[in-house]
């Protein structure tokens, strides 16, 4: 009996720790530096992310991928593995190791995007058109660098005539057949599980803090449980002894399908796609939605428990119409609404928050779809990714958007750190699109998304004094570059926010007190 309890305790301990992102120094948010080169991420950790309170970085898949030339070098080629060698267009293994080390040394965690459901597409051809120049034959399902052969794929399990997922209401198809032609790995096989775990463990030993796991809906939770259970503890050079890798699983569940996110929440956190989709509707005021309806935002909206969720306003998929959420998703293209949405997310206690950092592409909307949604990162003619250039005003150039460097977003990342652990308090709304709420006695945010001025005296819950608004500016030394807010001894303050302002919201916190 004692042995059974020990095994049970080991299993419970194994999963419970996989919800913790292990962020250092009271940091609370990660940033997805989508398609950045390892050298640029290393520099960004040191010069910007650590000094500004970012807790971690989600990196693009580090494993060897196919190289696609038609269309030329799309972003999604990174999601078609050829092997588990660590060379990609972001850099080679040495550059990856250097980046992980340098980021860890300044207390910024690295979370790798792990593509373990599949290899490249069935039409990927034969040859060495891969990011390390490794030979493969997609037609024969031969990936000698792993090695995988035809025996390691799910073709015999899939029951559809095409071999593809044809019906998302059939859980067997969704997990045993090919997702958009991608060769589906047989993760029920010990050999395949072993190869996947070996790849992930190599990254753990190099110092990553965890993983975003791609396409989890297309894998059986039982298979994932075995893989996650065979992962090493985190490297004790940077993490406490016995720390388990942070896991956040991509499961698109907007309701209406038999596979639900709740099947995966026992294994680690799960991406809550309802969050950005619903918030987009509210911020855009579609279908009569109002900010005031967010009074019970989070579980009250039918989301998974906060302790299981990883949230974002947009991600690399749905900002370009892929994945989940459709047209309601707010992105950097709608910068005014976007800053408000990200500000609200970072002020609200629900979930672990992820900030998107994008690149621009030439949108070409036709038939309601962006015909250029495939476009890869800023690059030279041969497909080599361009470095991220930093302008004199600290924004980025050369096609890199760097939303995480926008003052309003960066300062709200800091706001979230300052209010960490405080519950939501002092909610106010006008019954329409003006809302305000606090986080204990540590912070307060006021948002005006109506077509008229917000004019109100509100209980901030903060100690009396003069505070610097971190949206219009910030505290620098003992002065403020933005608006100032006077909080009385009773905690009340007067707010006046015109609907025509560049950023119609105000945020103050304990560390912005003058």
């Amino acid at each position: 009996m004692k042995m059974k309890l020990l095994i049970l305790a080991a299993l419970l301990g194994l999963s419970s720790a996989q919800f913790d992102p292990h962020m250092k120094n009271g940091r609370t948010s990660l940033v997805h530096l989508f398609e950045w080169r390892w050298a640029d991420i290393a520099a960004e950790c040191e010069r910007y992310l650590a000094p500004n309170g970012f807790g971690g970085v989600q990196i693009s898949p580090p494993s060897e991928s196919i190289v696609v030339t038609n269309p030329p070098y799309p972003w999604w080629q990174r999601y078609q593995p050829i092997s588990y060698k660590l060379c990609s267009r972001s850099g080679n293994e040495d550059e990856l190791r250097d980046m992980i080390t340098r980021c860890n040394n300044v207390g910024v965690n690295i979370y790798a995007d792990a593509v373990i459901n599949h290899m490249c597409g069935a039409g990927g051809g034969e040859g060495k058109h891969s990011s390390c120049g490794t030979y493969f034959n997609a037609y024969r399902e031969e990936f000698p660098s792993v090695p995988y052969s035809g025996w390691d794929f799910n073709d015999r399990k899939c029951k559809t005539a095409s071999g593809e997922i044809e019906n998302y209401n059939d859980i067997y198809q969704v997990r045993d057949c090919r997702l958009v032609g991608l060769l589906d790995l047989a993760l029920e096989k010990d050999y395949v599980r072993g190869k996947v775990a070996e790849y992930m463990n190599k990254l753990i030993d190099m110092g990553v803090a965890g993983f975003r796991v791609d396409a989890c809906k297309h894998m059986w939770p039982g298979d994932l449980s075995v893989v996650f259970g065979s992962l090493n503890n985190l490297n004790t050079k940077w993490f406490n002894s016995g720390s388990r890798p942070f896991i956040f699983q991509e499961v698109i569940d907007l309701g209406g399908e038999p596979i639900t996110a709740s099947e995966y929440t026992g294994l680690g956190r799960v991406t809550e796609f309802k969050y950005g989709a619903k918030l987009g509707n509210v911020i855009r005021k579609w279908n009569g939605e109002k900010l005031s309806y967010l009074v019970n935002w989070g579980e009250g909206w039918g989301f998974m428990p906060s302790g299981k969720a990883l949230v974002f306003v947009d991600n690399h998929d749905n900002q370009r119409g892929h994945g989940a959420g459709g047209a309601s998703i707010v992105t950097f293209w709608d910068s005014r609404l976007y800053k408000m949405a990200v500000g609200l997310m970072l002020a609200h206690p629900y979930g672990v928050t992820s900030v998107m950092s994008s690149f621009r592409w030439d949108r070409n909307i036709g038939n309601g779809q962006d015909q250029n949604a495939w476009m890869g990162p800023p690059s030279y003619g041969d497909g080599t990714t361009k470095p991220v250039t930093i302008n004199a005003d600290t924004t980025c150039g050369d096609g890199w958007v760097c939303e995480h460097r926008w003052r309003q977003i960066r300062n709200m990342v800091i706001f979230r750190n300052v209010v960490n652990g405080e519950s939501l308090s002092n909610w106010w709304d006008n019954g329409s699109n003006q809302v305000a709420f606090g986080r204990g006695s540590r912070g307060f945010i006021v948002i005006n998304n109506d077509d008229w001025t917000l004019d109100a005296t509100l209980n901030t819950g903060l100690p009396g004094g003069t505070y610097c608004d971190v949206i219009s500016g910030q505290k620098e030394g003992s002065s403020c570059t933005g608006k100032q807010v006077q909080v009385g001894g009773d905690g009340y303050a007067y707010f006046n926010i015109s609907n025509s302002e560049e950023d119609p919201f105000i945020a103050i916190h304990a560390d912005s007190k003058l």
Side-chain angles (χ1 to χ4, degrees):
M1 185 66 193
K2 190 178 177 192
M3 193 63 201
K4 275 185 180 167
L5 285 172
L6 281 173
I7 291 169
L8 186 67
L11 284 171
L12 288 172
L14 180 152
S15 61
S16 65
Q18 287 167 194
F19 301 94
D20 179 2
H22 306 294
M23 290 182 192
K24 316 280 198 320
N25 312 321
R27 299 173 191 172
T28 53
S29 295
L30 59 108
V31 56
H32 183 189
L33 297 180
F34 180 46
E35 283 278 14
W36 280 42
R37 302 177 322 140
W38 308 146
D40 289 323
I41 295 175
E44 191 72 350
C45 282
E46 293 167 343
R47 73 193 167 202
Y48 198 86
L49 300 180
N52 287 294
F54 287 84
V57 179
Q58 178 187 327
I59 62 171
S60 288
S63 53
E64 179 177 28
S65 73
I66 196 168
V67 173
V68 175
T69 49
N70 184 24
Y73 316 113
W75 65 268
W76 43 255
Q77 73 178 28
R78 299 285 293 267
Y79 290 86
Q80 297 197 30
I82 295 300
S83 79
Y84 299 129
K85 288 181 179 174
L86 298 175
C87 38
S88 65
R89 67 172 163 211
S90 288
N92 62 32
E93 183 173 333
D94 288 341
E95 290 165 317
L96 175 65
R97 187 183 303 275
D98 177 65
M99 177 270 286
I100 294 169
T101 300
R102 285 166 61 187
C103 290
N104 276 328
N105 284 345
V106 292
V108 179
N109 295 348
I110 299 298
Y111 308 103
D113 198 341
V115 185
I116 60 173
N117 171 66
H118 53 262
M119 298 302 278
C120 70
E126 175 194 14
K128 294 185 175 181
H129 47 293
S130 52
S131 53
C132 311
T134 292
Y135 171 82
F136 67 99
N137 187 332
Y139 304 127
R140 297 180 56 169
E141 300 183 324
E142 288 174 357
F143 299 90
S145 277
V146 178
Y148 286 142
S149 69
W151 293 105
D152 301 314
F153 293 87
N154 267 335
D155 306 325
R156 293 162 198 79
K157 264 185 107 178
C158 175
K159 301 290 191 283
T160 63
S162 64
E164 300 282 321
I165 300 169
E166 296 173 3
N167 174 11
Y168 271 82
N169 286 310
D170 180 334
I171 66 169
Y172 298 95
Q173 283 186 36
V174 174
R175 287 163 172 159
D176 296 337
C177 298
R178 292 174 184 173
L179 166 67
V180 295
L182 298 163
L183 298 172
D184 200 58
L185 283 166
L187 206 60
E188 66 179 27
K189 296 196 170 192
D190 287 341
Y191 175 76
V192 176
R193 290 170 174 177
K195 284 297 176 188
V196 165
E198 184 184 302
Y199 161 58
M200 295 172 79
N201 279 330
K202 178 166 186 176
L203 290 166
I204 289 170
D205 295 347
M206 286 169 77
V208 304
F211 303 91
R212 179 237 185 214
V213 185
D214 183 63
C216 286
K217 181 160 77 175
H218 302 283
M219 295 178 277
W220 292 94
D223 295 340
L224 286 173
S225 180
V226 174
V227 170
F228 298 161
S230 29
L231 297 181
N232 296 342
N233 288 339
L234 299 184
N235 189 321
T236 53
K237 182 173 179 186
W238 295 291
F239 301 96
N240 292 334
S241 179
S243 296
R244 297 298 296 156
F246 178 51
I247 302 283
F248 58 106
Q249 305 159 92
E250 183 208 17
V251 179
I252 298 175
D253 172 15
L254 294 174
E257 289 179 23
I259 296 178
T260 62
S262 61
E263 293 173 51
Y264 296 85
T265 49
L267 303 174
R269 288 197 184 242
V270 175
T271 50
E272 181 50 280
F273 278 93
K274 292 172 186 165
Y275 192 100
K278 303 276 191 194
L279 186 57
N281 277 327
V282 171
I283 289 277
R284 293 184 188 279
K285 300 188 268 196
W286 285 359
N287 309 320
E289 296 276 7
K290 299 173 179 172
L291 277 180
S292 58
Y293 295 168
L294 299 182
V295 62
N296 63 340
W297 185 236
E299 291 95 341
W301 278 59
F303 301 168
M304 65 186 77
S306 177
K308 307 285 191 179
L310 182 122
V311 297
F312 39 80
V313 172
D314 64 327
N315 80 340
H316 69 282
D317 265 320
N318 63 17
Q319 71 170 196
R320 44 181 49 75
H322 289 240
S328 75
I329 298 297
V330 184
T331 70
F332 69 87
W333 298 107
D334 317 289
S335 62
R336 188 170 186 261
L337 289 179
Y338 189 69
K339 287 177 281 185
M340 245 189 296
V342 176
L344 192 148
M345 173 184 80
L346 291 169
H348 196 280
Y350 182 86
V352 165
T353 45
S354 177
V355 172
M356 185 65 199
S357 192
S358 318
F359 57 81
R360 277 185 194 80
W361 68 96
D362 294 323
R363 290 198 295 181
N364 178 18
I365 310 293
N367 302 325
Q369 294 279 319
D370 181 357
Q371 304 304 314
N372 283 346
W374 56 269
M375 285 187 162
S379 55
Y380 301 107
D382 65 354
T384 308
T385 304
K386 288 183 176 178
V388 176
T389 53
I390 308 297
N391 301 323
D393 66 357
T394 76
T395 61
C396 298
D398 232 355
W400 299 98
V401 181
C402 296
E403 298 96 314
H404 70 285
R405 280 176 166 259
W406 295 0
R407 179 189 70 243
Q408 302 84 344
I409 290 176
R410 174 199 66 220
N411 285 345
M412 286 307 297
V413 165
I414 295 167
F415 178 105
R416 189 176 191 81
N417 295 344
V418 172
V419 303
N420 188 28
E422 299 285 337
S423 54
L424 191 136
S425 55
N426 295 308
W427 176 274
W428 170 87
D429 66 68
N430 70 339
S432 185
N433 288 292
Q434 300 178 359
V435 300
F437 60 88
R439 296 288 300 278
S441 61
R442 301 282 293 166
F444 195 71
I445 188 169
V446 189
I447 304 174
N448 180 14
N449 198 31
D450 268 327
D451 299 326
W452 58 87
T453 298
L454 180 153
D455 189 86
T457 299
L458 305 174
N459 182 11
T460 67
L462 272 60
T466 305
Y467 291 81
C468 183
D469 167 36
V470 299
I471 304 304
S472 56
Q474 62 208 6
K475 180 178 164 185
E476 290 180 4
S478 58
S479 60
C480 175
T481 62
K483 299 175 188 170
Q484 296 188 18
V485 177
Q486 302 293 334
V487 176
D490 58 359
Y492 279 80
Y494 171 66
F495 295 92
N496 184 286
I497 304 174
S498 165
N499 56 300
S500 61
E501 288 186 33
E502 180 195 353
D503 294 307
F505 65 114
I506 286 175
I508 55 176
H509 58 73
D511 289 358
S512 81
K513 191 176 184 184
L514 296 172

